[in-house]
């Protein structure tokens, strides 16, 4: 099918809920994707922050295919070798005391379950989250999303959600109290324009949560699985080495096979009993094969380190560009801030066959590339940016 035929077909048979590029992508390898007319694009948006090991990584493809041939699916009613291996690997890379995994199917579902874990563990209902954070579109997650129009779209919202100011230590003191079940934070606010908070802020959050007995939850749907140059934002220097009680994950975890997860501390895990959480598809065999292979490739190819290199190459490229006001973020979650709007740059880069992303800040262009982009590929971006 031609791009035009695909486009017309999608428009005829699908709800028009997405603002789309006029591209029909039919093939991908590494950071490269091809249209149905065989045009090549450099994908620095990483398939929407999903393809951390690049598109259709051969090791991940092989693992999925082999697993699909053996057993595509059985639910959590039975034990599974591949689920055992995937959860052991995931827990082995997580900072202590995160010790147990719960698998689901998406980022929003991971956050729903993270909040439920906090409520079950504390017997309280109030959730504190932050202005301009994004946590997903299902009822509880959208109610915790204080970014633009999203929360309104989710009305009537789930009760007992309270907003605090991101990065402002003073603002959390009065809001987080002994009625608070959990504090949910996107540790780098990606969609808001790659906004960061200080390590001191995360330390204060940890201290305050401990003081009142609330669970601290990091939404690492974007920052997790190596993207910021560490396996997790949790426990990193940027987090003041703070480890939350729950980390929610999705996006890169399955390289495009839908999978989400909550990583839960040993202590909080003790309050979760049979039937408290559940999902049919969570922990399915093909998804688990994708998780295991993705984590193995990141480890074997040293991709957390390469994510840090990519940040340096991008920062160097931007340092010599007079139109760039600042570069925000870490590793492969970067926001390039322009003085007079990011959209014209985004469109011109697209004209140069480079896919990047926008954000809710009109001046910030987002890069969410695969973690294995090379220096020469970033040089192509740098040249196009200068042009
Ligand atoms: C930080 C964050 N949390 C949660 C979500 C929701 O994830 P999903 O779209 O898989 O439900 C997203 C999606 O963009 C996200 O960026």
């Amino acid at each position: 099918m031609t791009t035009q035929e695909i486009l017309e077909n999608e428009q005829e048979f699908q709800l028009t809920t997405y603002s789309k590029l006029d591209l029909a992508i039919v093939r991908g390898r590494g950071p490269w994707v091809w249209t149905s007319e065989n045009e090549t694009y450099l994908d620095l948006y990483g398939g929407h922050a999903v393809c951390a090991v690049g598109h259709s990584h051969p090791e991940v493809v092989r693992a999925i295919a082999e697993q699909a041939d053996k057993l595509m699916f059985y639910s959590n009613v039975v034990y599974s070798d591949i689920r055992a291996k995937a959860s052991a690997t995931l827990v082995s890379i997580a900072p202590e005391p995160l010790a147990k995994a719960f698998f689901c199917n998406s980022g929003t579902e991971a956050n729903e379950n993270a909040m439920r874990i906090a409520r079950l563990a504390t017997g309280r209902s109030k959730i504190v989250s932050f202005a301009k954070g994004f946590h997903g579109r299902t009822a509880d997650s959208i109610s915790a999303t204080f970014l633009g129009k999203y929360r309104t779209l989710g009305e009537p919202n789930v009760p007992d959600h309270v907003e605090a100011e991101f990065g402002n230590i003073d603002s959390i003191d009065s809001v987080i109290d002994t009625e608070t079940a959990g504090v949910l934070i996107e540790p780098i606010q990606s969609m808001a324009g790659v906004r960061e908070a200080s390590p001191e802020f995360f330390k204060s959050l940890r201290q305050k949560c401990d003081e009142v007995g609330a669970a601290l939850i990091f939404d690492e749907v974007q920052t997790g699985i190596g993207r910021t140059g560490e396996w997790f934002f949790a426990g990193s220097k940027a987090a003041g080495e703070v480890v939350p009680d729950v980390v929610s994950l999705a996006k890169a975890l399955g390289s495009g096979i839908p999978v989400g997860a909550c990583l839960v501390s040993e202590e909080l895990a003790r309050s979760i009993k049979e039937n408290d959480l559940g999902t049919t598809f969570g922990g399915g065999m093909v998804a688990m094969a994708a998780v295991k292979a993705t984590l193995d490739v990141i480890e074997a190819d040293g991709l957390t380190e390469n994510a840090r290199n990519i940040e340096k190459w991008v920062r160097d490229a931007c340092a010599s560009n007079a139109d760039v006001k600042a570069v925000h973020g870490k590793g492969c979650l970067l926001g390039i801030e322009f003085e007079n709007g990011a959209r014209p740059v985004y469109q011109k880069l697209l004209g140069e066959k480079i896919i990047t992303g926008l954000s809710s800040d009109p001046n910030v262009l987002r890069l969410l590339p695969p973690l294995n982009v090379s220096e020469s590929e970033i040089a192509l971006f740098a040249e196009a940016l200068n042009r």
Side-chain angles (χ1 to χ4, degrees):
M1 283 168 95
T2 65
T3 294
Q4 191 56 31
E5 285 166 345
I6 295 169
L7 195 143
E8 281 168 13
N9 188 293
E10 282 214 26
Q11 286 173 350
E12 185 173 355
F13 296 112
Q14 288 183 46
L15 288 181
T16 52
T17 71
Y18 298 102
S19 142
K20 297 189 192 202
L21 303 174
D22 282 348
L23 291 179
I25 301 293
V26 295
R27 194 158 57 87
R29 258 297 179 275
W32 299 97
V33 289
W34 286 267
T35 67
S36 75
E37 279 76 25
N38 212 24
E39 289 181 311
T40 312
Y41 281 74
L42 177 60
D43 181 17
L44 299 183
Y45 196 49
H48 212 127
V50 167
C51 304
V53 297
H55 291 277
S56 297
H57 191 289
E59 286 300 311
V60 180
V61 171
R62 189 182 53 75
I64 293 169
E66 281 178 8
Q67 183 59 51
D69 189 46
K70 266 202 295 191
L71 177 66
M72 270 173 69
F73 187 76
Y74 211 104
S75 74
N76 289 282
V77 158
V78 299
Y79 290 97
S80 144
D81 56 348
I82 189 64
R83 191 188 300 128
K85 287 179 196 164
S87 44
T89 306
L90 185 58
V91 168
S92 77
I93 56 169
E96 283 180 13
L98 299 171
K100 304 275 187 193
F102 170 75
F103 288 108
C104 52
N105 310 288
S106 65
T108 194
E109 201 186 340
N111 284 327
E112 296 267 335
N113 283 289
M115 289 185 275
R116 182 172 306 168
I117 290 167
R119 290 185 175 122
L120 288 169
T122 59
R124 307 169 185 172
S125 61
K126 177 172 153 183
I127 300 289
V128 174
S129 57
F130 293 85
K132 297 194 176 177
F134 182 82
H135 300 293
R137 290 169 180 267
T138 50
D140 219 0
S141 298
I142 208 166
S143 301
T145 293
F146 290 97
L147 176 72
K149 63 176 193 292
Y150 290 104
R151 196 162 194 275
T152 318
L153 283 172
E155 284 178 349
N157 293 126
V158 173
D160 295 341
H161 280 273
V162 176
E163 181 182 12
E165 228 178 287
F166 183 73
N168 182 341
I169 293 174
D170 295 336
S171 86
I172 60 178
D173 216 42
S174 55
V175 180
I176 302 170
D177 55 22
T178 52
E179 290 179 1
T180 308
V183 176
L184 173 63
I185 187 163
E186 193 192 348
I188 298 179
Q189 292 188 326
S190 179
M191 185 115 82
V194 192
R195 298 173 78 229
E196 296 174 272
S198 68
E200 287 66 40
F201 178 69
F202 292 104
K203 284 186 196 166
S204 301
L205 269 187
R206 180 71 276 179
Q207 199 180 343
K208 188 72 190 179
C209 285
D210 290 344
E211 221 174 277
V212 301
L216 181 58
I217 306 163
F218 280 6
D219 174 346
E220 296 221 42
V221 167
Q222 289 214 20
T223 57
I225 315 300
R227 182 158 298 283
T228 62
E230 309 283 343
W231 273 115
F232 299 97
F233 189 88
S236 69
K237 248 172 83 180
E241 293 172 9
V242 160
V243 180
D245 306 291
V246 186
V247 165
S248 31
L249 299 167
K251 290 215 189 271
L253 184 59
S255 288
I257 298 291
V259 53
C262 295
L263 279 169
V264 185
S265 72
E266 191 79 62
E267 189 188 337
L268 227 58
R270 279 197 284 274
S271 54
I272 303 302
K273 303 179 303 299
E274 213 172 282
N275 249 335
D276 281 349
L277 314 172
T279 149
T280 298
F281 287 126
M285 283 79 230
V286 174
M288 294 298 97
V291 170
K292 174 81 173 101
T294 300
L295 299 179
D296 287 350
V297 169
I298 293 175
E299 178 66 35
D301 293 354
L303 297 189
T304 51
E305 190 189 344
N306 203 54
R308 294 195 289 273
N309 293 335
I310 291 167
E311 177 184 346
K312 185 183 172 302
W313 301 327
V314 171
R315 285 185 183 278
D316 287 350
C318 290
S320 57
N321 188 307
D323 293 326
V324 174
K325 198 172 154 200
V327 179
H328 306 281
K330 303 239 155 0
C332 289
L333 202 184
L334 296 172
I336 304 177
E337 186 179 348
F338 294 90
E339 202 72 63
N340 298 311
R343 186 171 284 277
V345 185
Y346 166 82
Q347 268 157 350
K348 285 202 169 165
L349 285 169
L350 202 56
E352 300 250 7
K353 299 200 163 36
I354 297 178
I355 305 174
T356 58
L358 293 167
S359 72
S360 74
D361 182 330
N363 287 327
V364 175
L365 183 84
R366 272 190 305 166
L367 301 187
L368 295 154
L371 278 49
N372 49 11
V373 172
S374 68
E375 190 166 9
S376 59
E377 286 154 348
I378 293 297
L380 294 175
F381 165 73
E383 286 159 22
L385 190 67
N386 284 334
R387 274 198 294 278

